């Protein structure tokens, strides 16, 4: 087996596109397939389509050279050694993952397979998917010795996707075939043997030649469950701290201190203990629901997952109540909104709690001036500007003459605003922070009444004089 593997990646979304350029960065030859010709043309022309650190540079380095883009799946797969399926697995009405794209790709691959090929699930899929892919191949007449199915789940986060891909905590390869395991091990060898990190132009991250990532070999089914269970556990951790934040509010304690104290226990760890307005994004909400459905289908009672979802939904309602109690009534209030993306560092608004809150606030009769450093173009498509919603050019424009300013996304630039300037601009200096970006005392020192999550509110006394005046 040569060191350079011929890889096809099907799907050019966050996972597919990042995997394609990163495999090229690791020395392999890649063809990335998408059935949307406009996307293919844009990528060939150097438009990376999504906001992601390092992606434009890697795309520029490899496009039309080590990474080719095409919409012709059968042509691309004909002489591939490995095919990664990274297409969408959207949520259907009941929460079950819709696997029709995966099935369509598998059937098409089956028609063009002539030599031994490893088919890899990179999309997040339920535990029985590898068996279905195998069945689809066999039903389409592909001999069993011509392919193997592997689960190689991806754990990258949006915003840090390239660095996460190249500096993973672990690489999980689930397969019941030694031959396929050898192929996947070869692909990831530049990472697992540390040679990638010794290169002078390697993308920065926490891994090094001395501390390369481990590759964990498991059964196919275990790998599929590892992905769902990991995402569900992280969502649970967030819901847990959100529930604790509600308790802190009721008890007049400070959830940031509680989270710090909990996180210092190495068995718990400090990450994913940030309280807020609930998790969003294209993965957690969908994957928790899909995992719940998998458990149901397998006859396992996993009610804990429903509770995780319920706490998450409630967290948005609680934030809305907090805004209401800060302002007494909502109808006719002018609000500034900072952040529309589901988290800082991305332009993605899928399942964004910020978008949902803006919709709720408009429904309550508020008018909003919103700003997001990257997500406004996408937000305008689902929330068109109108009499009650304007998009503005920066955080200060969003604060101008408003009854309160709401922080809904944890962009780094929102955590270092000029507070004196904010105070001067706002009609009433009230900030309701759904991401706990500020020290409450600092807000108070700057004359701002400050509400956050799981911490006692800080009231600036002059505010009441102003309201009464
Ligand atoms: C997630 C997983 O982290 C990743 O491993 C998987 O491959 C895809 O799903 P992503 O959706 O990019 O990644 O975002 P992540 O950084 O995990 O945040 C998800 C949501 O949880 C965001 O809305 C974020 O704001 C929220 N969050 C995260 C919290 O509210 N508190 C936290 O402590 C961490």
């Amino acid at each position: 087996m040569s060191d350079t593997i011929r890889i096809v990646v099907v799907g050019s979304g966050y996972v597919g596109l990042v995997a394609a350029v990163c495999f090229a960065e690791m020395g392999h030859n890649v063809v990335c397939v998408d059935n949307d010709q406009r996307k293919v043309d844009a990528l060939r022309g150097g438009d990376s389509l999504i906001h992601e650190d390092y992606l434009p540079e890697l795309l520029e380095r490899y496009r039309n050279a080590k990474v080719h883009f095409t919409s012709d799946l059968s042509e691309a797969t004909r002489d591939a050694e490995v095919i990664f399926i990274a297409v969408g697995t959207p949520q259907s009405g009941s929460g079950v993952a819709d696997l029709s794209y995966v099935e369509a790709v598998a059937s098409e691959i089956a028609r063009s397979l002539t030599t031994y090929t490893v088919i890899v699930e990179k999309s997040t899929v339920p535990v029985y998917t590898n068996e279905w892919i195998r069945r689809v191949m066999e039903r389409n007449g592909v001999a069993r010795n011509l392919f193997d199915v592997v689960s190689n789940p991806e754990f990258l986060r949006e915003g840090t996707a390239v660095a996460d891909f190249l500096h993973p905590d672990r690489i999980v390869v689930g397969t019941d075939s030694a031959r396929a395991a050898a192929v996947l091990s070869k692909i990831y060898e530049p990472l697992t043997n540390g040679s990638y990190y010794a290169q002078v132009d390697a993308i920065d991250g926490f891994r090094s030649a001395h501390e390369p990532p481990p590759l964990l070999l498991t059964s196919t089914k275990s790998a599929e469950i590892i992905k769902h269970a990991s995402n569900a556990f992280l969502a649970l951790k967030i819901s847990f701290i959100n529930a604790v934040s509600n308790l802190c509010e009721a008890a007049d304690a400070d959830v940031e201190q509680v989270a710090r104290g909990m996180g210092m226990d190495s068995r718990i760890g400090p990450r994913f203990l940030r309280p807020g307005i609930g998790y969003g994004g294209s993965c957690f909400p969908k994957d928790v629901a899909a995992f719940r459905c998998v458990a149901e289908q397998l006859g396992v009672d996993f009610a804990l997952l429903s509770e995780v979802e319920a706490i998450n939904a409630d967290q948005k309602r609680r934030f809305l109540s907090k805004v209401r109690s800060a302002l007494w009534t909502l109808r006719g209030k002018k609000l500034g909104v900072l952040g529309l993306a589901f988290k800082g560092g991305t332009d993605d608004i899928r399942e964004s709690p910020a978008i949902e809150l803006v919709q709720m606030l408009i429904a309550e009769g508020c008018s909003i001036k919103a700003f997001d450093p990257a997500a406004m173009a996408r937000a305008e498509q689902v929330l068109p500007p109108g009499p009650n919603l304007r998009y503005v050019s920066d955080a200060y424009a969003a604060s101008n003459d408003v009854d309160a300013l709401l922080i809904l996304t944890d962009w780094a630039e929102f955590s270092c605003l000029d507070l004196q300037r904010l105070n001067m601009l706002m009609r009433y200096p009230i900030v309701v922070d759904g991401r706990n970006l500020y020290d409450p005392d600092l807000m108070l020192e700057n004359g701002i009444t400050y509400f956050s999550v799981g911490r006692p509110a800080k009231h600036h006394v002059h505010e009441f004089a102003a309201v009464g005046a």
Side-chain angles (χ1 to χ4, degrees):
M1 202 188 312
S2 119
D3 285 350
T4 302
I5 313 248
R6 293 188 308 277
I7 294 174
V8 166
V9 178
V10 188
S12 66
Y14 278 89
V15 172
L17 182 57
V18 170
V21 296
C22 289
F23 284 140
E25 171 80 352
M26 287 153 65
H28 304 300
N29 287 324
V30 184
V31 179
C32 184
V33 186
D34 202 293
N35 58 8
D36 182 340
Q37 188 62 43
R38 277 174 315 173
K39 272 180 124 181
V40 170
D41 292 340
L43 290 164
R44 278 182 184 156
D47 179 352
S48 56
L49 299 170
I50 48 175
H51 179 93
E52 206 53 69
D53 281 352
Y54 301 115
L55 189 57
E57 294 91 315
L58 290 188
L59 190 63
E60 205 42 49
R61 203 178 296 168
Y62 299 116
R63 81 189 155 97
N64 309 327
K66 279 183 101 56
V67 181
H68 289 274
F69 295 98
T70 178
S71 53
D72 189 341
L73 178 60
S74 43
E75 173 66 29
T77 52
R78 199 149 294 142
D79 60 5
E81 293 168 88
V82 184
I83 302 170
F84 284 84
I85 303 179
V87 295
T89 50
Q91 188 177 330
S92 66
S94 56
V96 181
D98 172 0
L99 296 177
S100 53
Y101 297 116
V102 177
E103 184 186 356
V105 169
S107 319
E108 200 163 338
I109 292 172
R111 278 182 236 122
S112 49
L113 219 64
T114 49
T115 53
Y116 175 75
T117 308
V118 181
I119 298 165
V120 189
E121 310 162 344
K122 199 77 173 144
S123 314
T124 304
V125 290
V127 59
Y128 39 77
T129 311
N130 72 87
E131 281 180 8
W132 274 108
I133 294 179
R134 186 173 50 72
R135 249 177 257 170
V136 168
M137 303 302 286
E138 286 172 353
R139 278 183 194 164
N140 282 281
V142 183
R144 189 63 198 85
N145 62 353
L146 269 190
F147 72 96
D148 278 308
V149 182
V150 174
S151 166
N152 171 223
E154 185 45 58
F155 300 97
L156 59 80
R157 292 160 301 167
E158 289 182 20
T160 51
V162 169
D164 284 350
F165 191 98
L166 293 167
H167 294 262
D169 285 328
R170 74 302 205 190
I171 296 158
V172 175
V173 172
T175 178
D176 305 310
S177 144
R179 187 178 181 187
V183 175
L184 267 286
S185 302
K186 195 82 205 158
I187 290 178
Y188 285 105
E189 203 169 70
L191 304 187
T192 54
N193 71 10
S195 58
Y196 173 70
Y197 310 107
Q199 290 175 24
V200 279
D201 57 352
I203 299 290
D204 277 345
F206 81 105
R207 290 284 173 200
S208 66
H210 307 294
E211 220 187 317
L215 186 145
L216 177 69
L217 271 179
T218 68
S219 73
T220 325
K221 289 180 178 174
S222 299
E224 289 168 324
I225 293 181
I226 286 171
K227 174 64 195 187
H228 261 153
S230 299
N231 271 1
F233 188 81
L234 291 169
L236 173 139
K237 221 175 159 187
I238 298 168
S239 277
F240 189 88
I241 200 66
N242 280 333
V244 171
S245 78
N246 300 335
L247 193 83
C248 287
E249 280 176 21
D252 225 13
D254 181 337
V255 71
E256 295 294 332
Q257 294 177 355
V258 174
R260 207 167 307 131
M262 288 171 64
M264 282 176 176
D265 186 326
S266 59
R267 294 168 301 175
I268 297 174
R271 297 170 75 191
F272 280 71
L273 280 182
R274 275 181 289 113
I277 51 175
Y279 59 77
S282 64
C283 291
F284 284 175
K286 167 173 80 74
D287 291 349
V288 174
F291 201 35
R292 175 172 48 71
C293 291
V294 167
E296 261 163 43
Q297 285 165 348
L298 295 172
V300 175
D301 181 5
F302 207 159
L304 179 62
L305 296 176
S306 309
E307 202 50 43
V308 169
E309 292 176 311
I311 293 170
N312 198 54
D314 200 40
Q315 204 63 10
K316 285 171 276 212
R317 288 191 287 271
R318 286 183 69 96
F319 186 81
L320 187 75
S321 308
K322 197 167 285 173
V323 179
R324 184 180 284 116
S325 70
L327 293 173
W328 190 16
T329 61
L330 288 176
R331 184 154 303 282
K333 291 285 157 56
K334 285 198 229 167
L335 302 174
V337 161
L338 299 186
L340 297 161
F342 79 96
K343 65 172 187 177
T346 176
D347 59 351
D348 197 341
I349 55 157
R350 285 176 290 175
E351 301 288 325
S352 170
I355 295 282
E356 224 176 294
L357 275 162
V358 168
Q359 283 166 330
M360 289 172 170
L361 289 160
I362 292 174
E364 293 278 348
C366 299
S367 64
I368 288 174
K369 283 194 277 186
F371 170 68
D372 187 286
M376 290 202 287
R378 285 176 194 246
E380 276 186 28
Q381 289 166 12
V382 291
L383 288 176
N388 291 329
L389 177 62
R390 276 207 299 134
Y391 292 95
V392 295
S393 58
D394 64 27
Y396 301 103
S399 315
N400 196 16
D401 198 32
V402 292
D403 294 303
L405 183 67
L406 316 184
I407 302 177
L408 302 185
T409 307
D410 52 350
W411 279 98
E413 67 180 77
F414 295 157
S415 62
C416 48
L417 297 169
D418 178 343
L419 299 181
Q420 279 300 319
R421 192 170 162 201
L422 277 193
N423 188 340
M424 303 281 286
L425 284 169
M426 284 190 275
R427 186 155 177 244
Y428 298 115
I430 300 174
V431 170
V432 192
D433 182 356
R435 300 288 190 159
N436 287 4
L437 298 189
Y438 284 93
D439 172 358
D441 290 326
L442 183 70
M443 281 288 183
L444 203 58
E445 280 162 27
N446 283 280
I448 295 175
T449 290
Y450 182 62
F451 299 86
S452 54
V453 181
R455 299 185 292 185
K458 295 274 176 175
H459 293 275
H460 182 66
V461 280
H462 296 305
E463 178 220 329
F464 298 107
V467 172

